[in-house]
Amino acid sequence: MNGADVDTGAGTGGTGVAVTADGHGRGASPGRGPGGGRHGAGGRGRLLAGLRRRLVRRRIRIRRTRGRRLRRALVVLLTLLANLVGAAVVAYHLTKIPEPHPETAMQSTVFVDDHGDYLGRRGPVDRQEVPLSQVPRYVQEAVIAAENRSFRTDTGISPKAIARAAWATVSGGDRQGGSTITQQYVKNALLSPEQTLSRKAREALISIKLDRTRSKDEILQGYLNTVYFGRGAAGIQSAARNYFGVDAKDLTVSQGAALASVINIPSYYEKAGSDPKVTAKLVDRWEWVLDAMADSGAITSAQRAGARFPAFRFYPPGDTDGQRQYLIDAAASEAADRLGITEDQLARGGYTVRTTFDLTAQDATAELAADGTDKKAGEKSAEMTAEEKAAEAKAGGKKPAAVKTGGDVRVHTAVVALVPGDGAVRVLYGGADYASQPFNDARDGAVEAGTALEPFSGMKLLAPLTGLTRTAAPTPLRLTSAYATAAAHGVYATPYTVAKITRAGRTLYEAHPRTRTAMKPADAGMITKLLYSQSDALPATQTGAAGLRTLWRTAYDERLTLTVALFAEHPAKGKKAALPAPLPYTAGSRSLSVSEGVWSKIVGTAEGHDPAAEPNPGLPTGQTKPILATR
C-alpha cells in the first residue's frame, strides 16, 4: 500500500476500519471523532448555521415588510384619530349650552337706608347680579390674576388641567384644580359638580362653545355674579357687602385683590379678620395676586407699593333680627305693592330697595327705648320731674303716689318719626326684638288715645283724617301723620318707607310724595301755636294719656314729626289673654328721654326761629309749600 492509509468499507451507515501504514486496523467509535455523530462538533456547527440562516431570512423578511407594516399602523392611527375628531366635532355641534341652574339664577333683594347703608336682605340666596361695568377694571384683573391669567387669550379650556383631572379621576388620586374661569363658570352655573370623566368632557365642550359664542366680558360677568366667596355670599356684589360693607363698584384695589384671593378656598378664607392664622395665609396670597397684577400692568408700581391689606368685617356676624326686621317687613310689603308682585317674588328678584329710614336714628331709638326695660314695672322712680308728676296726675285723675302696680307687667314702646309735607318715615320702632315679637306696635298696634288727639277736637278734618278724633285707639303711625299735617300747614302726606327700587342698575320705581289738603291752614296754625304755648319750647309738643295705661308724646316742627307711645300690659299666659296694666312711674322720664334723644339724632338740638310768630306756623319762614325730604 506504499504506506498510504486505505479507507475500506466507509459507506454511509458503515462502521469502517482504518488501516494504518503498518497494516494494523483500528475501529472508529461512533460519536467521538470529529464529525462523528449528531452530537459532535460538526452537529453543533450545523445547528448554529441553521439558526443563523433562519435569523438572516427573518431580518430580510422584516426589512422587506417594514414599510408595509408602518403604513398599516399609520392608517389605523389616522383612522382612530379621524374617528375621535369626528366624534368630537359631532359632540360639539350636538352640545347645547344649558340654562343656568335655578339656584344660580336666584337673587336676594337688598335693603339699604336713606343714606345707602346696608339694612338687610330677603331671599334664599345671598346674591345680586351687577353688570360688569359696575365692577372696577382692577377688580376684574385681580380675579383673572388669581384664577386664570390666560383668560383673555385662551380658548375656554386648559388641556393640561383637563388631562391632570382626568388622570386623577382614573387613578383615584386627589381632585385637581386649575380650570379656566370659563370652565369654573360652566361647572358652577351650568353643570353639576360631580367629578366624572363624562361630566369633565361635557364641561370642556361647553366651555369651548361658550368661548366661541360669547364675549370674554360676558363670561367674566357671569362668573363674577355666581362664584362663591364664602360668608354665604355668591357673586361679587354680595361679597363686597359681606366682607367690606360696600358695593362692588366702590371696592378699592386692595379690597378687590383680597376678594380675588378668597375664591381659592372660600370656606377657609371667610374667617379672615377674626382668625389670625387664616388672615396671615390670606395676606400671602393677596401679595401674590398684587404682584401678578403689577407684572401684567393691571396696576401701576405706585398702586402696588401703596397697597395695604384691607380690614375685614368681623365674622361670624351677630344676630340679624332685632330692629332691622321691623323695617324690612314694612319696606318689603310696600316695595312689592309698588312693583305689583308678591313679597316672595320680591325676595327672589335681586332688587335693591332704598328705604327712607335713618338707620343711625333707628339704632339710637332702640338703645334709648331699651333703657330700664329690665326693671320691675312697679319700681318707683326716685327722680320724677314736676312736669312728669303733673302730667301723670292729670291723665289719671290721681296722685302718682296712689297708683300701685304689681305682678308681671310688660311695657311696650312705639316710636315713629316722619317728614312733614313729604311722608318719608325716618324711624319706625315697633318693639324691642323682632325675634320675640314680630308684630310692629308702631305701624299696626292700636294704642288707646286718651287725650292725645284733643288738639284736633272741633276742627274739620278732611280725608284721610276724617273720623280721627272719634278713633279710640289709633296706630302711632296714623297719629304721627295727623300732627305732621299740622306741621305742614294742613297738607297731609301719605307715609311711605320706600324711596327707590333698582335692579341691575336700572331704576324701576322712585317715590314721589302723595299729598292732599286734610285741614284748613288756619286750623293747622292754631294747633301749632297752642302746642308751642303749652310746651314753651321748640319743638311744639303734645303730651296725652289714657289714664295710667298709655302715655303719648308728640313733638314737631317743619323738619320732623316725632311720636313716642308707651303702654303696658300683663302678658298672655296659656289661655289667659293679655290685659292692660298701669305704666310704671318711670314712663314719663322714659318718654322724654327717647323723644329728645331721637330728635337730636335726626335734626340736632332744638334751636332756631319761633314757629308761633310766623305768618304760616309749621313751615319755614317764607315757605308756602310743604318741604320734600326724599334724597
Side-chain angles (χ1 to χ4, degrees):
M1 294 276 179
N2 299 324
D5 291 339
V6 179
D7 188 2
T8 61
T12 304
T15 56
V17 178
V19 181
T20 61
D22 58 6
H24 297 287
R26 181 167 53 89
S29 299
R32 290 183 178 272
R38 56 193 177 92
H39 295 295
R44 286 196 299 272
R46 287 193 295 273
L47 180 62
L48 291 174
L51 288 174
R52 282 195 294 270
R53 285 193 295 272
R54 284 195 292 272
L55 289 174
V56 169
R57 286 195 296 269
R58 179 173 295 177
R59 282 198 293 268
I60 293 172
R61 187 167 58 250
I62 288 173
R63 291 192 190 100
R64 290 175 178 174
T65 61
R66 178 184 300 169
R68 185 167 62 250
R69 288 200 313 275
L70 288 175
R71 287 192 295 273
R72 287 176 180 175
L74 184 60
V75 168
V76 171
L77 180 60
L78 290 176
T79 302
L80 179 62
L81 288 176
N83 288 335
L84 290 175
V85 171
V89 170
V90 172
Y92 174 82
H93 286 289
L94 292 178
T95 297
K96 293 182 179 180
I97 298 175
E99 293 295 322
H101 296 311
E103 57 268 26
T104 61
M106 290 180 185
Q107 302 183 63
S108 62
T109 286
V110 169
F111 297 81
V112 298
D113 81 344
D114 185 52
H115 303 284
D117 294 331
Y118 182 74
L119 186 61
R121 71 175 182 90
R122 285 280 169 87
V125 179
D126 190 2
R127 188 180 79 85
Q128 276 197 306
E129 287 189 1
V130 291
L132 195 63
S133 60
Q134 291 189 16
V135 181
R137 182 74 179 194
Y138 49 75
V139 176
Q140 301 175 35
E141 295 300 327
V143 172
I144 291 172
E147 293 297 306
N148 178 197
R149 296 180 184 180
S150 64
F151 170 72
R152 299 285 185 190
T153 57
D154 64 34
T155 60
I157 64 170
S158 170
K160 289 183 179 180
I162 293 176
R164 188 168 57 247
W167 174 251
T169 302
V170 172
S171 63
D174 295 333
R175 292 180 180 181
Q176 297 293 316
S179 298
T180 65
I181 282 176
T182 307
Q183 287 177 270
Q184 290 184 55
Y185 172 60
V186 169
K187 179 178 66 176
N188 296 335
L190 309 180
L191 295 177
S192 64
E194 60 180 338
Q195 296 292 319
T196 63
L197 286 176
S198 60
R199 205 276 305 155
K200 198 70 178 176
R202 189 165 178 236
E203 172 192 305
L205 287 172
I206 294 174
S207 297
I208 294 171
K209 197 161 193 175
L210 199 66
D211 188 78
R212 291 173 63 88
T213 57
R214 308 277 176 85
S215 69
K216 290 291 187 180
D217 281 353
E218 286 179 287
I219 296 170
L220 185 59
Q221 176 176 295
Y223 176 78
L224 289 174
N225 279 321
T226 55
V227 66
Y228 185 62
F229 284 87
R231 297 195 177 189
I236 189 70
Q237 174 73 350
S238 295
R241 282 191 170 137
N242 287 7
Y243 281 91
F244 302 113
V246 300
D247 289 327
K249 62 183 176 63
D250 298 320
L251 287 168
T252 65
V253 171
S254 293
Q255 290 171 338
L259 288 181
S261 303
V262 166
I263 296 174
N264 180 244
I265 320 175
S267 60
Y268 178 77
Y269 288 131
E270 67 183 2
K271 301 178 183 63
S274 58
D275 186 318
K277 182 179 178 181
V278 174
T279 304
K281 188 170 182 178
L282 183 59
V283 169
D284 290 340
R285 184 167 175 81
W286 173 80
E287 296 272 6
W288 174 73
V289 169
L290 284 175
D291 288 342
M293 293 175 69
D295 291 341
S296 67
I299 57 175
T300 65
S301 57
Q303 286 176 309
R304 175 64 188 94
R308 298 293 180 270
F309 190 76
F312 279 35
R313 298 178 71 186
F314 183 77
Y315 185 82
D319 186 9
T320 57
D321 288 326
Q323 283 302 301
R324 300 190 178 195
Q325 293 303 323
Y326 289 114
L327 308 183
I328 293 174
D329 268 359
S333 175
E334 185 176 324
D337 183 65
R338 296 291 179 264
L339 295 175
I341 59 178
T342 66
E343 288 192 44
D344 183 63
Q345 290 173 320
L346 177 79
R348 296 169 181 267
Y351 301 95
T352 296
V353 179
R354 191 182 190 98
T355 68
T356 61
F357 302 121
D358 184 327
L359 192 53
T360 301
Q362 182 77 23
D363 290 343
T365 303
E367 292 181 10
L368 292 165
D371 289 344
T373 53
D374 294 331
K375 296 179 182 179
K376 293 180 180 179
E379 183 180 345
K380 185 175 180 179
S381 173
E383 298 182 0
M384 293 182 66
T385 65
E387 179 187 356
E388 292 166 10
K389 290 179 181 179
E392 292 187 8
K394 180 180 178 181
K398 302 177 182 180
K399 293 181 180 180
V403 179
K404 295 182 179 180
T405 60
D408 184 16
V409 175
R410 182 179 179 185
V411 177
H412 292 254
T413 303
V415 182
V416 178
L418 56 81
V419 179
D422 181 283
V425 179
R426 295 290 183 237
V427 171
L428 193 67
Y429 179 89
D433 184 13
Y434 184 90
S436 59
Q437 181 197 306
F439 183 81
N440 191 323
D441 286 329
R443 186 178 66 156
D444 305 312
V447 183
E448 193 174 0
T451 61
L453 292 171
E454 280 188 350
F456 298 94
S457 299
M459 294 185 177
K460 184 179 180 179
L461 301 178
L462 306 176
L465 298 182
T466 305
L468 177 66
T469 55
R470 297 188 300 275
T471 304
T475 66
L477 181 59
R478 190 182 184 201
L479 184 138
T480 308
S481 299
Y483 279 100
T485 302
H489 203 49
V491 175
Y492 175 88
T494 303
Y496 66 96
T497 62
V498 175
K500 190 176 183 180
I501 304 174
T502 60
R503 186 183 187 187
R506 292 175 50 243
T507 298
L508 304 179
Y509 168 81
E510 192 161 7
H512 297 284
R514 293 181 291 174
T515 61
R516 61 183 302 173
T517 300
M519 70 172 66
K520 295 179 179 179
D523 289 345
M526 287 179 60
I527 293 176
T528 300
K529 289 180 179 180
L530 171 66
L531 299 187
Y532 177 70
S533 63
Q534 289 180 353
S535 60
D536 195 29
L538 289 173
T541 304
Q542 162 67 9
T543 301
L548 292 173
R549 297 179 299 278
T550 66
L551 179 63
W552 295 83
R553 185 183 185 88
T554 299
Y556 71 80
D557 66 6
E558 76 281 356
R559 299 167 293 178
L560 188 72
T561 301
L562 172 67
T563 294
V564 179
L566 280 76
F567 64 97
E569 66 176 8
H570 295 290
K573 290 185 178 180
K575 296 182 179 180
K576 188 177 180 181
L579 297 173
L583 288 164
Y585 291 134
T586 56
S589 60
R590 182 175 173 184
S591 174
L592 179 63
S593 173
V594 172
S595 180
E596 290 183 344
V598 176
W599 186 277
S600 65
K601 280 290 182 182
I602 300 177
V603 297
T605 56
E607 296 177 355
H609 55 272
D610 180 353
E614 297 176 11
N616 298 304
L619 292 177
T621 303
Q623 182 172 313
T624 57
K625 294 182 180 179
I627 62 171
L628 303 181
T630 337
R631 286 189 174 89

